[in-house]
Every structure is written in C-alpha cells, then in structure tokens.
Amino acid sequence: FHPDRETWRRGFNLSPLAFEARTRAAGRLLSATDPRQVVVQLHTLMGSGGSRASVLHTDTSYRLTERHYPRGAPLRGRRRQRFLDLERRVYQRASALFPRSAWLARSLVEDYGCDPQRVQVVGGGHNLEPVALEGRRWDGRTALFVGMEFERKGGPELLLAWDRVVRALPGARLQIVGVSKRPSDLPKGVEWLGVVRDRARLRQLYAQATLFVMPSVFEPWGHVFLEAMAGGLPCVGTEVCAMPEIISRGQTGLLVPPRDPSSLALALIELLEEPARAEAMGRAAQASTRGRSWDDVVERMAPLLEPLLAG
C-alpha cells in the first residue's frame, strides 16, 4: 500500500505478482495461435507465456533503471530479487534480443549474462515523417519541450534554466507540451500548452520552433528527439543513457550534464541567438534520421528473425 496512487501503480507494475499475472495472460492468449509462430515481445514486464521461439525489442532493463533513476526502481529485498530473476529468464530464453541502444546492449551482456551473439542493436523509428525544409526559418527564438513525465525528463531544471535564458534573450519563448499539471509559478516567456493529441497541431509546433529541448535525467531512448529531428530541429539533451546515440554533439544538437541548469541555459542561449547555427544543426539532424524509420528497424532485425521463421 502507498497513499500516493502513482507511486503505488509504479510499484505494482514492476512487482513479481504483476509480472507473473501478465505472463499467464499472455500464455492463455497464445495457446489459441499457431505454435510455429514467433512471438515478438515489446519490453520486459512479462514473459512470453510459452515455450515457442520469442524475440524481445526493448529500451531499458531494471538494473539500468535502478542505477540511473532509483525513483523508477521501487522494489526492495526479496521482491526485487524475484523480479530480477524473472527478467533475466526472459532475456536468456529469448532467441534474439533487439535493444534500441548500445547502452542497453551492454547491460544485457554484463548485468544479465546474455550471449552477445543473440544481441543486435536496432534503434527505434521516428513516428513523424521528415518534412520539407524549404522556406523554414530558425530565427524565432522558440524552444519546444514535448514529454509527459516532467520530473524525469528534466522539466524542473529546464524552468530554472529558462529563467536565465529569458534574462539574456527577453523575447525568447519556451513551449511546454504533454504535461497536464501546470506549476503555479512559471518564468517569463513560458507557454504551457498541456496535452496535445492532434498530430497536425504537433507538427505545426515543431515547424514553428527553433530548437527542441528535453534535458532528461533518465531517458532510455527518446523517440521524441527523432520526431523533432525529422522536423529539422536541433536537439538539446543530456549526456546520459542513450541520448548520445541519438544526438551527435555539435552536429545535430548539444548535450549537457543532467540536473545542470547553468550548462543548459548556455546551450539554449547559444542556439537561440545564432539562427544560422541552429539551421545548420537542424538540417544535419533531419539528414541523420535517414535509416531510422521503423522499416529500417525491422531490416536490422531480419538477419536474426529469418532463421527462426524458416525453422
């Protein structure tokens, strides 16, 4: 029991009890399907529920969460060990593992004892297609944040940094998308847009922004960076987790230490007051999304999937 519903939900979802219940449910569903089919599983909150061949596509492990974001790893004692045992069993039984990042691939091998030959880094695809950049401008001094978990994605540090940015660049704007609960006190120039479900509206926000910023404390992958890049935006992220595998420092964006409002403010000012540099990085960012569609992800999976399907 926990008086805070979100804390309770996080603890329950990551409990061995829930893991085993989901595994049984998957087994019941799969029992009605052809046993020759290969199971493709997303993330590791359950087992595949049977003995058939399975592969796994995921972005983090419990050990990585525990190491880099303890708040997201609430299990202790026997419950923690039981969950790790269940998670390890899924990894080791899978015919192939498709981590999105090399950061996770190292954890699968070093923390869980997985065979490197079964581990293939495949990345993740962008969910918005690249747009034409003819006529686009990068001189509007607008930074865009898109994310749901404000604390984990560096939102508090971003607001502290923005207070310094707006003092240096009084006309600058920061648009916050995806977070419903609005803080009572916001720095000047912050527009709190809440949850935006209209994809056309989201595309418009990307098209009007100068840069994208999400200074996450813990970000196992970050599809939203690829969405922003597809829209021609340079990205400002942090130098932890998988973000350096998505953002090339100084080429497609800037990387700063996590929980460092001062460094973040300097990075934002640097790009907002130099539209030519923001444009060069934005164009390079869009070019870097080539080979990063979901079709490309599947192509990287294919060499390990095809022998299973043939068998």
Side-chain angles (χ1 to χ4, degrees):
F1 173 79
H2 196 284
D4 178 67
R5 184 185 296 269
E6 287 304 314
T7 302
W8 174 84
R9 182 180 289 117
R10 189 182 302 117
F12 176 75
N13 284 337
L14 288 172
S15 72
L17 177 68
F19 192 109
E20 291 169 332
R22 284 189 288 262
T23 301
R24 288 193 296 272
R28 288 193 296 270
L29 290 168
L30 288 169
S31 66
T33 66
D34 187 336
R36 294 170 296 180
Q37 292 176 340
V38 175
V39 175
V40 179
Q41 180 175 332
L42 305 181
H43 304 298
T44 324
L45 291 177
M46 64 179 179
S48 59
S51 58
R52 69 181 70 197
S54 66
V55 300
L56 177 72
H57 177 61
T58 189
D59 61 2
T60 192
S61 68
Y62 191 83
R63 293 293 297 275
L64 284 177
T65 305
E66 199 172 50
R67 198 173 297 144
H68 296 277
Y69 191 59
R71 181 180 173 185
L75 303 180
R76 300 291 181 269
R78 292 181 182 177
R79 293 173 74 238
R80 171 187 177 273
Q81 190 55 53
R82 177 61 178 155
F83 186 89
L84 288 172
D85 290 343
L86 291 166
E87 184 186 31
R88 182 179 291 105
R89 185 183 305 170
V90 172
Y91 293 145
Q92 295 191 347
R93 286 184 175 180
S95 302
L97 296 166
F98 298 123
R100 289 182 185 163
S101 66
W103 174 71
L104 172 58
R106 288 191 294 273
S107 175
L108 294 174
V109 174
E110 296 170 7
D111 293 329
Y112 295 89
C114 296
D115 178 1
Q117 297 299 315
R118 293 188 298 111
V119 179
Q120 173 64 51
V121 178
V122 296
H126 47 75
N127 297 320
L128 292 177
E129 291 302 310
V131 299
L133 299 182
E134 289 78 9
R136 196 198 197 287
R137 300 176 66 92
W138 285 262
D139 57 1
R141 291 189 172 179
T142 300
L144 177 65
F145 170 99
V146 179
M148 293 177 64
E149 297 179 57
F150 199 56
E151 190 274 337
R152 178 171 69 82
K153 294 178 181 288
E157 290 79 15
L158 176 57
L159 294 182
L160 290 174
W162 193 256
D163 193 46
R164 305 180 190 193
V165 171
V166 81
R167 287 201 298 267
L169 304 172
R173 294 189 304 162
L174 170 62
Q175 295 181 319
I176 304 285
V177 174
V179 187
S180 55
K181 187 176 180 181
R182 184 184 188 278
S184 56
D185 188 23
L186 292 174
K188 290 182 179 179
V190 176
E191 298 177 13
W192 198 272
L193 302 180
V195 177
V196 176
R197 292 188 170 86
D198 183 350
R199 303 289 281 181
R201 172 62 174 147
L202 190 57
R203 287 179 185 274
Q204 184 182 44
L205 291 169
Y206 282 127
Q208 294 171 347
T210 304
L211 61 84
F212 179 82
V213 56
M214 192 171 72
S216 297
V217 176
F218 179 67
E219 192 64 54
W221 180 244
H223 289 297
V224 69
F225 288 120
L226 294 177
E227 287 191 359
M229 289 175 163
L233 290 179
C235 292
V236 179
T238 57
E239 54 195 16
V240 297
C241 306
M243 285 176 280
E245 298 181 44
I246 300 174
I247 304 168
S248 298
R249 189 194 300 264
Q251 298 177 27
T252 63
L254 299 173
L255 296 167
V256 300
R259 301 192 191 278
D260 188 343
S262 298
S263 296
L264 179 58
L266 290 174
L268 293 171
I269 292 168
E270 180 179 334
L271 289 179
L272 290 173
E273 69 178 359
E274 294 185 42
R277 188 164 187 223
E279 177 178 354
M281 283 189 178
R283 291 184 180 278
Q286 188 184 73
S288 76
T289 63
R290 298 190 190 107
R292 283 176 157 176
S293 72
W294 284 112
D295 285 343
D296 296 313
V297 171
V298 174
E299 286 295 326
R300 289 188 282 274
M301 291 180 174
L304 291 179
L305 276 174
E306 286 169 347
L308 297 176
L309 296 169

